[in-house]
Amino acid sequence: MSVVQEQAAIPVFFTESAVHRVQELVEDEGNPELKLRVFVTGGGCSGFQYGFTFDENQAEDDAAVERDGVTLLVDPLSYQYLIGATVDYEEGLMGAQFRVQNPNASSTCGCGSSFSI
């Protein structure tokens, strides 16, 4: 089984709120080729941190989650930390942001942007 097939077996979830916000941002940019990329890097107050960026290019080994015409990309290195996670978009007193709800994280920081395994 290839890496892409294995990754497709255990998805990363993409909420309706996140999909809607990405649709708005892509429309504002006027570039329908943009995809939201979520990634994990070292750092943050808990050891790892989440990052988000828009990307026109999908690598051969990226996991891709498509919903309502929007694509979420995850590179293979980040995917191992995000299996079963949910990408959401929230607006509240702390501002508006994409957030990851990650069942693999043993702890998270107060702002929710970093985690440890």
Side-chain angles (χ1 to χ4, degrees), residues 7 12 17 19 22 26-27 30 33 35 44 49 54 58-59 61 63 69 73 75 86 97-98 103 114:
Q7 291 175 354
V12 174
S17 176
V19 169
V22 171
V26 168
E27 189 175 301
E33 298 301 312
K35 300 159 185 59
Q49 61 187 14
F54 279 98
Q58 179 176 343
D61 57 353
L73 300 175
D75 66 87
T86 300
Q97 64 182 345
F98 287 101
S114 71

Side-chain angles (χ1 to χ4, degrees), residues 2-5 7 37 57-64 73-74 76:
S2 77
V3 173
V4 173
Q5 288 172 329
Q7 291 175 354
R37 181 177 292 279
N57 302 312
Q58 179 176 343
E60 219 176 271
D61 57 353
D62 280 340
L73 300 175
V74 184

Side-chain angles (χ1 to χ4, degrees), residues 5-85:
Q5 288 172 329
E6 282 180 34
Q7 291 175 354
I10 305 173
V12 174
F13 301 97
F14 202 19
T15 68
E16 186 176 331
S17 176
V19 169
H20 180 70
R21 183 62 179 146
V22 171
Q23 288 170 332
E24 290 176 342
L25 293 169
V26 168
E27 189 175 301
D28 288 350
E29 287 296 317
N31 183 353
E33 298 301 312
L34 290 176
K35 300 159 185 59
L36 181 66
R37 181 177 292 279
V38 60
F39 56 92
V40 173
T41 59
C45 49
S46 294
F48 295 101
Q49 61 187 14
Y50 303 110
F52 296 92
T53 188
F54 279 98
D55 198 339
E56 291 180 333
N57 302 312
Q58 179 176 343
E60 219 176 271
D61 57 353
D62 280 340
V65 178
E66 294 184 14
R67 182 172 176 188
D68 298 333
V70 172
T71 303
L72 174 73
L73 300 175
V74 184
D75 66 87
L77 183 62
S78 298
Y79 191 86
Q80 64 185 328
Y81 299 108
L82 296 171
I83 293 172

Side-chain angles (χ1 to χ4, degrees), residues 90-112:
E90 299 175 349
E91 293 182 12
L93 295 176
M94 299 293 287
Q97 64 182 345
F98 287 101
R99 294 189 63 122
V100 177
Q101 299 163 356
N102 190 343
N104 305 305
S106 61
S107 66
T108 60
C109 68
C111 66

